[in-house]
Amino acid sequence: HLLRHGAPLKEGLLLGHQDMPSTPEGETQILSQVAELKFDRILSSDLSRCAAPAQKIAVVRELPLTLDARWRELDFGLWDGLHPSEIDTERMGRFWQDPEANAPPQGEQLSALTDRVGAALNEIEGGSALTVTHGGTIRAALHLLLGWPHPRCWSIALPYAARCTLGLWRDANSSAGWRGQLEALQP
């Protein structure tokens, strides 16, 4: 299960590696999304908007939690924490059209995000896991696990607290070490 964090304290900003917690309502959304799910371990971005609810889930479920920076959002560099309206419109448009060739200044290329998510996925062992993470990270995982092109992954609406449930199987030919099938997308 890939679960996007709840609404941050300030919505509408480019929040990559900036550590902004979720609202209390955002955390409640997360907790309600997992109420009926079964999983035997929890993985999470180390940023508080993911880590705080993941820690609460781990305590309630008495499950192990692994915080891992590889599950962080794309690093927006100098744009991190800004509202898109604060960024040059043409530069922002080029980024959304081709994030690989037009990474944010001092930020991360899309391929770097995909590589680190792939490395994190490759270390997942069998069983069932809940991963509390970010929208861009979930999209990178969908690209790797389902083989979807990046534009298709970025066109999927993933509101705060959205959950993707995937069935996975080992695949030595995949860069993530897994292949998957989307079983459910719960907004």
Side-chain angles (χ1 to χ4, degrees):
H1 307 283
L2 298 170
L3 181 61
R4 187 177 182 199
H5 60 79
L9 292 176
K10 294 181 183 177
E11 291 186 45
L13 305 179
L14 294 172
L15 293 177
H17 289 199
Q18 187 175 64
D19 197 11
M20 182 182 293
S22 291
T23 64
E25 297 81 14
E27 281 199 22
T28 300
Q29 287 177 304
I30 293 293
L31 299 175
S32 68
Q33 275 282 35
V34 302
E36 303 298 319
L37 297 180
K38 292 183 175 26
F39 45 89
D40 54 28
R41 68 189 169 289
I42 305 166
L43 309 168
S44 177
S45 161
D46 61 336
L47 297 177
S48 63
R49 57 190 179 271
C50 297
Q55 289 168 337
K56 288 179 181 178
I57 295 164
V59 168
V60 168
R61 297 277 187 110
E62 298 179 350
L63 292 173
L65 167 64
T66 302
L67 298 178
D68 187 339
R70 293 176 299 182
W71 288 106
R72 285 183 176 192
E73 180 61 90
L74 181 80
D75 183 355
F76 289 109
L78 296 178
W79 295 351
D80 209 330
L82 297 179
H83 190 276
S85 66
E86 298 176 84
I87 300 165
D88 176 72
T89 305
E90 286 185 31
R91 182 107 194 241
M92 191 82 223
R94 286 193 305 270
F95 166 73
W96 289 122
Q97 288 297 315
D98 186 355
E100 181 64 22
N102 299 289
Q106 297 179 25
E108 185 175 34
Q109 288 184 298
L110 183 58
S111 59
L113 169 66
T114 302
D115 288 348
R116 65 180 160 83
V117 170
L121 285 166
N122 202 21
E123 290 180 14
I124 293 176
E125 298 172 9
S128 181
L130 170 71
T131 303
V132 184
T133 189
H134 309 268
T137 311
I138 291 171
R139 289 175 174 98
L142 292 174
H143 164 73
L144 291 164
L145 296 170
L146 303 178
W148 292 352
H150 283 294
R152 181 176 181 190
C153 295
W154 286 89
S155 69
I156 296 171
L158 289 174
Y160 296 120
R163 174 178 43 92
C164 293
T165 298
L166 299 144
L168 301 179
W169 57 91
R170 278 283 178 196
D171 183 348
N173 296 321
S174 167
S175 60
W178 297 92
R179 282 285 176 216
Q181 172 180 321
L182 184 61
E183 294 180 355
L185 177 60
Q186 181 69 37

